[in-house]
Amino acid sequence: MDRRSLLKYSFSGLTASALMAAGMRNSYLEKMETTKFNLSSSDNDESYWELVKSEFSLEKDLYYFNNASLGPCPKLVVDATNQFRALLDGFPSKYMWGGWQDEKEGVRKKVAEMFSADKEEIALIHNTTEGMNLVAHSIELGPDDEVILADHEHPSGTVPWQHWSEIRGFKIIRPKLPILPNSKEELVDVYRKAITSKTKVISMVHGTNTNGMILPVKEVSKMAHEKGVLVAVDAAQTAGTFKIDLHDLGCDFYAASGHKFMFSPKGMGVFYARKEAQKHLKPLIVSRAHFRDPSIRRLENYNTRNYPELLGMGTAVDYYNLIGGAKREARLRELKSYFRNQLDGDKRFRFKTPEADDLSCAIQNVEVVGKKVGEVKKKLFDDHKIDCRPMSGFDINGVRISLSVFTTKRDVDYLVKALRKV
């Protein structure tokens, strides 16, 4: 195919068709063509990644290493979402009540393909917190049951279980994870020892928000299923960083936020439920479609919702595919090594994230030895306009550095120089 044919093949099925009625299609396709021509290149040098960075409108002189808290949208996603909003406001009832039904299903299909799942296993929700609430709310447990939640779980993954534990009386088991494990098996063993005959659910993060450690979801799921235990996964910190095949992972439920490494509009998330496990789920919200739609769509039956953001997430997946999942993952691992190698051997720094590629990726946590992390964070921002996240719990005392595809090696050099000054 020539570039224009390839462009139409890739994008006219979702974003371009959704904008057609508003007369915005041609201008949007022109933007897509320019972006696709630039970003679908096989180049992998720094000039390519500088070009990727130019797609993000970050504040002037800001060095953004806080993607694990909240990510920016590339210009393409911002433009598309704003155009969807203008179209909706031009004819509100048409587009809210069915005018975008095909486009919504197009987003579901794109998300499913991104995660190697079936579209009938994907609900388009608001964020990871909603997904974890959905699981904890749905699974009816009693005083004789136990749920395993390791100590590095995010509050969005623990509070829902704590809430329902108070109501239903089941017990929560909190095993401790090592901060710097030597292997995946060491982590699997933590969960193995925590399982008892009363265990009904393991709820676990895919990547810890504390130090970016990746947990062995596949291995834990296999072990859990052999004992009849369900596995729910909080994937807020991994979705969009490396290739995720949900069928291969084998977990029952998987919740992810689109607003971090997927670069979707804020307030959009993904919820996966394995077909065999969907029987356990009950909607958090019900409305008129509740009794006539038994599919996974019953979990997103909000009646009125923010469709421009939902369609914008489809454009974010398009953007993900422009660069390519494998290329993204390789770049993040390259940046991780580049960052760690510059501080390796310098006794003033101590990494609090495992180095192995199967144990970490885009998030790295580093301690400035002898300094409180709050002071380090403040100095980095006040003196160098570097935004990152301080982490003081679990004896970490380090700044969490989120690497992203808009991070260049020049940005990492600047960060390392600033850390040395601090």
PDB file of all heavy atoms in Angstrom, residues 175-188:
ATOM      1  N   PRO A 175       0.597 -10.796  52.938  1.00  0.00           N
ATOM      2  CA  PRO A 175       2.000 -11.231  52.929  1.00  0.00           C
ATOM      3  C   PRO A 175       2.922 -10.093  52.478  1.00  0.00           C
ATOM      4  O   PRO A 175       2.492  -9.170  51.783  1.00  0.00           O
ATOM      5  CB  PRO A 175       2.016 -12.381  51.921  1.00  0.00           C
ATOM      6  CG  PRO A 175       0.873 -12.087  51.005  1.00  0.00           C
ATOM      7  CD  PRO A 175      -0.179 -11.445  51.858  1.00  0.00           C
ATOM      8  N   LYS A 176       4.182 -10.178  52.859  1.00  0.00           N
ATOM      9  CA  LYS A 176       5.169  -9.150  52.516  1.00  0.00           C
ATOM     10  C   LYS A 176       5.998  -9.568  51.311  1.00  0.00           C
ATOM     11  O   LYS A 176       6.498 -10.693  51.251  1.00  0.00           O
ATOM     12  CB  LYS A 176       6.079  -8.863  53.713  1.00  0.00           C
ATOM     13  CG  LYS A 176       5.365  -8.196  54.871  1.00  0.00           C
ATOM     14  CD  LYS A 176       6.339  -7.829  55.984  1.00  0.00           C
ATOM     15  CE  LYS A 176       5.621  -7.108  57.119  1.00  0.00           C
ATOM     16  NZ  LYS A 176       6.558  -6.722  58.206  1.00  0.00           N
ATOM     17  N   LEU A 177       6.143  -8.641  50.369  1.00  0.00           N
ATOM     18  CA  LEU A 177       6.964  -8.889  49.185  1.00  0.00           C
ATOM     19  C   LEU A 177       8.367  -8.344  49.402  1.00  0.00           C
ATOM     20  O   LEU A 177       8.540  -7.277  49.998  1.00  0.00           O
ATOM     21  CB  LEU A 177       6.354  -8.204  47.962  1.00  0.00           C
ATOM     22  CG  LEU A 177       4.972  -8.683  47.509  1.00  0.00           C
ATOM     23  CD1 LEU A 177       4.448  -7.767  46.404  1.00  0.00           C
ATOM     24  CD2 LEU A 177       5.036 -10.124  47.021  1.00  0.00           C
ATOM     25  N   PRO A 178       9.392  -9.029  48.912  1.00  0.00           N
ATOM     26  CA  PRO A 178      10.747  -8.463  48.960  1.00  0.00           C
ATOM     27  C   PRO A 178      10.844  -7.292  47.985  1.00  0.00           C
ATOM     28  O   PRO A 178      10.246  -7.315  46.908  1.00  0.00           O
ATOM     29  CB  PRO A 178      11.625  -9.627  48.513  1.00  0.00           C
ATOM     30  CG  PRO A 178      10.729 -10.476  47.660  1.00  0.00           C
ATOM     31  CD  PRO A 178       9.360 -10.350  48.256  1.00  0.00           C
ATOM     32  N   ILE A 179      11.571  -6.250  48.355  1.00  0.00           N
ATOM     33  CA  ILE A 179      11.713  -5.083  47.483  1.00  0.00           C
ATOM     34  C   ILE A 179      12.616  -5.399  46.297  1.00  0.00           C
ATOM     35  O   ILE A 179      12.367  -4.948  45.173  1.00  0.00           O
ATOM     36  CB  ILE A 179      12.275  -3.884  48.277  1.00  0.00           C
ATOM     37  CG1 ILE A 179      11.260  -3.434  49.326  1.00  0.00           C
ATOM     38  CG2 ILE A 179      12.606  -2.708  47.349  1.00  0.00           C
ATOM     39  CD1 ILE A 179      11.783  -2.327  50.226  1.00  0.00           C
ATOM     40  N   LEU A 180      13.657  -6.185  46.537  1.00  0.00           N
ATOM     41  CA  LEU A 180      14.609  -6.523  45.483  1.00  0.00           C
ATOM     42  C   LEU A 180      14.729  -8.049  45.371  1.00  0.00           C
ATOM     43  O   LEU A 180      15.746  -8.638  45.763  1.00  0.00           O
ATOM     44  CB  LEU A 180      15.978  -5.896  45.773  1.00  0.00           C
ATOM     45  CG  LEU A 180      16.026  -4.370  45.768  1.00  0.00           C
ATOM     46  CD1 LEU A 180      17.380  -3.868  46.265  1.00  0.00           C
ATOM     47  CD2 LEU A 180      15.756  -3.834  44.366  1.00  0.00           C
ATOM     48  N   PRO A 181      13.722  -8.709  44.815  1.00  0.00           N
ATOM     49  CA  PRO A 181      13.791 -10.170  44.679  1.00  0.00           C
ATOM     50  C   PRO A 181      14.846 -10.572  43.660  1.00  0.00           C
ATOM     51  O   PRO A 181      15.164  -9.820  42.736  1.00  0.00           O
ATOM     52  CB  PRO A 181      12.390 -10.531  44.184  1.00  0.00           C
ATOM     53  CG  PRO A 181      11.929  -9.302  43.455  1.00  0.00           C
ATOM     54  CD  PRO A 181      12.504  -8.146  44.225  1.00  0.00           C
ATOM     55  N   ASN A 182      15.368 -11.769  43.819  1.00  0.00           N
ATOM     56  CA  ASN A 182      16.378 -12.273  42.891  1.00  0.00           C
ATOM     57  C   ASN A 182      15.758 -12.964  41.676  1.00  0.00           C
ATOM     58  O   ASN A 182      16.421 -13.148  40.659  1.00  0.00           O
ATOM     59  CB  ASN A 182      17.306 -13.256  43.617  1.00  0.00           C
ATOM     60  CG  ASN A 182      18.138 -12.562  44.682  1.00  0.00           C
ATOM     61  OD1 ASN A 182      18.713 -11.510  44.430  1.00  0.00           O
ATOM     62  ND2 ASN A 182      18.186 -13.133  45.873  1.00  0.00           N
ATOM     63  N   SER A 183      14.481 -13.349  41.799  1.00  0.00           N
ATOM     64  CA  SER A 183      13.835 -14.056  40.697  1.00  0.00           C
ATOM     65  C   SER A 183      12.326 -13.964  40.838  1.00  0.00           C
ATOM     66  O   SER A 183      11.796 -13.619  41.901  1.00  0.00           O
ATOM     67  CB  SER A 183      14.250 -15.535  40.695  1.00  0.00           C
ATOM     68  OG  SER A 183      13.742 -16.173  41.859  1.00  0.00           O
ATOM     69  N   LYS A 184      11.611 -14.316  39.761  1.00  0.00           N
ATOM     70  CA  LYS A 184      10.155 -14.369  39.816  1.00  0.00           C
ATOM     71  C   LYS A 184       9.701 -15.437  40.802  1.00  0.00           C
ATOM     72  O   LYS A 184       8.685 -15.262  41.491  1.00  0.00           O
ATOM     73  CB  LYS A 184       9.588 -14.676  38.422  1.00  0.00           C
ATOM     74  CG  LYS A 184       9.700 -13.542  37.441  1.00  0.00           C
ATOM     75  CD  LYS A 184       8.827 -13.764  36.215  1.00  0.00           C
ATOM     76  CE  LYS A 184       9.262 -14.968  35.411  1.00  0.00           C
ATOM     77  NZ  LYS A 184       8.458 -15.099  34.153  1.00  0.00           N
ATOM     78  N   GLU A 185      10.426 -16.529  40.844  1.00  0.00           N
ATOM     79  CA  GLU A 185      10.035 -17.637  41.722  1.00  0.00           C
ATOM     80  C   GLU A 185       9.995 -17.202  43.189  1.00  0.00           C
ATOM     81  O   GLU A 185       9.155 -17.674  43.970  1.00  0.00           O
ATOM     82  CB  GLU A 185      11.001 -18.816  41.550  1.00  0.00           C
ATOM     83  CG  GLU A 185      10.656 -20.028  42.398  1.00  0.00           C
ATOM     84  CD  GLU A 185       9.244 -20.551  42.186  1.00  0.00           C
ATOM     85  OE1 GLU A 185       8.720 -20.466  41.056  1.00  0.00           O
ATOM     86  OE2 GLU A 185       8.659 -21.043  43.174  1.00  0.00           O
ATOM     87  N   GLU A 186      10.887 -16.295  43.567  1.00  0.00           N
ATOM     88  CA  GLU A 186      10.881 -15.787  44.941  1.00  0.00           C
ATOM     89  C   GLU A 186       9.554 -15.082  45.250  1.00  0.00           C
ATOM     90  O   GLU A 186       9.024 -15.180  46.361  1.00  0.00           O
ATOM     91  CB  GLU A 186      12.057 -14.828  45.137  1.00  0.00           C
ATOM     92  CG  GLU A 186      12.251 -14.368  46.576  1.00  0.00           C
ATOM     93  CD  GLU A 186      13.475 -13.472  46.733  1.00  0.00           C
ATOM     94  OE1 GLU A 186      14.320 -13.426  45.809  1.00  0.00           O
ATOM     95  OE2 GLU A 186      13.577 -12.798  47.780  1.00  0.00           O
ATOM     96  N   LEU A 187       9.021 -14.380  44.269  1.00  0.00           N
ATOM     97  CA  LEU A 187       7.742 -13.696  44.441  1.00  0.00           C
ATOM     98  C   LEU A 187       6.579 -14.680  44.427  1.00  0.00           C
ATOM     99  O   LEU A 187       5.637 -14.564  45.216  1.00  0.00           O
ATOM    100  CB  LEU A 187       7.558 -12.653  43.340  1.00  0.00           C
ATOM    101  CG  LEU A 187       8.542 -11.484  43.360  1.00  0.00           C
ATOM    102  CD1 LEU A 187       8.440 -10.666  42.080  1.00  0.00           C
ATOM    103  CD2 LEU A 187       8.302 -10.600  44.575  1.00  0.00           C
ATOM    104  N   VAL A 188       6.635 -15.649  43.521  1.00  0.00           N
ATOM    105  CA  VAL A 188       5.586 -16.670  43.467  1.00  0.00           C
ATOM    106  C   VAL A 188       5.500 -17.396  44.808  1.00  0.00           C
ATOM    107  O   VAL A 188       4.411 -17.707  45.305  1.00  0.00           O
ATOM    108  CB  VAL A 188       5.859 -17.679  42.330  1.00  0.00           C
ATOM    109  CG1 VAL A 188       4.838 -18.818  42.367  1.00  0.00           C
ATOM    110  CG2 VAL A 188       5.823 -16.991  40.977  1.00  0.00           C
TER     111      VAL A 188
END
